[in-house]
Every structure is written in C-alpha cells, then in structure tokens.
Amino acid sequence: MTDQPQEPPFEQVKWAHEQQIEERKWTHELKRDDAKRAHDSNRDFHTEINKETVSASNLTLRTLVIINGGAAIGVLTFLGGVASKINLDFAHVGVVAGSIKWFAFGVALAVSGMALAYLAHFTMAGIASSKSKNWEHPYVTDGPKTKYWKRANHAFHCAAVFAAISSLILFLIGMFTTSNAITHMLVK
C-alpha cells in the first residue's frame, strides 16, 4: 500500500467545479441586483432632493421679490396719499422716496438669486449624471468630472444663499430707512 492520497473520481471533480461555477453566477447575480438597487436609489434620491430644493428655493426667492417689490409700491402709495392731503416740503418727500432704492436692490438681488439657484440646480444634475455606475460595490462612484460639478455647485449654491440673505437684509434696511424718513417727515 502506498501512502499517496487518491484522486477523487472525475465525476466528483466535475460536479464540484460545476458547483463553484453556479455559486459564482449566483454571487454575481446578487451583486448585480444590489448594484441595480444602489443605482436606482441614487437616481431616486437625486430626483427627489432636486425637486424639493428647486421648490423651496423658488418659493423663498419669489417671496423676497414680492416683499421688496410690495414694500416699494407701498412707499409710493403712501407718498401719493400723503402728498395729496397735506402740504409737505418736497425735500422730506425725497428722503422717503429715496428709501425705495433699498427695495429695488432687494428685488434685483432676489432675481439674481433665482438665476444662481437655477445654476445650482443645474450643477446638481451635472453631479448626478457625472457619477459612474459600477457592478461592484460601492456601485456608484465619482466620475472624472464629478469634482468639477461639485465645486461649481458649491459656488452657485453659496452665491444664491448670499443673494437671498442680502435681499432680506436690504428689505430690513429699507423698512428702517423708510420708517425713519416718514417719522422725520411727519414731525417737521
């Protein structure tokens, strides 16, 4: 007798090899299904976030246009009503009318913010479309242009937020300026 181990029969080797192939196919299909779910999840996430972000930014910026524009119209209406009822020095009326510039700049910044928000949304779509979809984990990775899109998105996003906050600040400055001007106009 020899101490050499015997080779398994050919059928057993063939069966083991076929089992390994089937196991690899099964593992590959599981990974592929995981990848499809990750791809779909990524797409759905970006779609939903983009939709909500666009909606929120539009509402905010439209509101800023309305409050600044409405304030300017309100000041003009007030001046028209006051000028027709009491005899005023036009120098005082000019000071109140000059406060309208704050509201005008506020409207201009809010409209600029709308344009910047559009560009921020556009670059967010660029980020999503620049990603590479893979069949191996992590399934979705940054593509060659993703870094560029992320930088552009960050810049436009920050600029849009700055424009919106500046528009709100100009509204507040305009309100305080108008209030002070009207107080001085009516006291004198």
Side-chain angles (χ1 to χ4, degrees):
M1 286 201 160
T2 62
D3 288 338
Q4 234 178 352
Q6 281 190 331
E7 276 188 37
F10 176 75
E11 288 81 25
Q12 190 176 8
V13 171
K14 183 179 174 185
W15 180 81
H17 182 67
E18 287 173 356
Q19 286 300 105
Q20 287 176 343
I21 290 172
E22 288 299 317
E23 188 174 311
R24 279 192 225 128
K25 283 182 183 177
W26 181 72
T27 303
H28 177 74
E29 286 187 28
L30 281 178
K31 284 183 178 181
R32 187 179 179 100
D33 290 343
D34 286 345
K36 284 182 181 179
R37 279 192 294 279
H39 296 169
D40 292 345
S41 175
N42 178 264
R43 183 194 66 239
D44 293 345
F45 171 77
H46 283 286
T47 300
E48 189 62 31
I49 290 298
N50 195 39
K51 188 185 322 177
E52 293 302 320
T53 303
V54 168
S55 177
S57 65
N58 281 338
L59 178 62
T60 301
L61 293 166
R62 284 180 185 175
T63 301
L64 288 168
V65 168
I66 290 169
I67 65 171
N68 278 295
I73 291 170
V75 170
L76 289 172
T77 303
F78 170 77
L79 288 175
V82 169
S84 67
K85 293 187 179 180
I86 55 177
N87 193 9
L88 291 175
D89 181 13
F90 281 104
H92 296 300
V93 173
V95 173
V96 176
S99 66
I100 292 175
K101 69 182 172 220
W102 297 109
F103 303 122
F105 290 136
V107 168
L109 273 173
V111 171
S112 298
M114 287 178 177
L116 291 165
Y118 165 78
L119 293 171
H121 303 317
F122 179 80
T123 55
M124 180 58 76
I127 290 170
S129 66
S130 72
K131 296 226 178 205
S132 298
K133 294 171 179 68
N134 310 305
W135 297 112
E136 297 295 324
H137 187 73
Y139 308 118
V140 179
T141 56
D142 287 350
K145 293 188 178 185
T146 303
K147 187 184 291 186
Y148 161 78
W149 284 110
K150 284 181 179 179
R151 274 189 253 136
N153 177 262
H154 183 72
F156 288 130
H157 180 82
C158 289
V161 169
F162 178 77
I165 291 171
S166 298
S167 177
L168 181 60
I169 289 170
L170 288 175
F171 171 75
L172 293 172
I173 291 171
M175 290 304 291
F176 288 120
T177 303
T178 302
S179 172
N180 289 338
I182 288 173
T183 302
H184 290 335
M185 179 179 76
L186 296 177
V187 169
K188 295 183 180 185

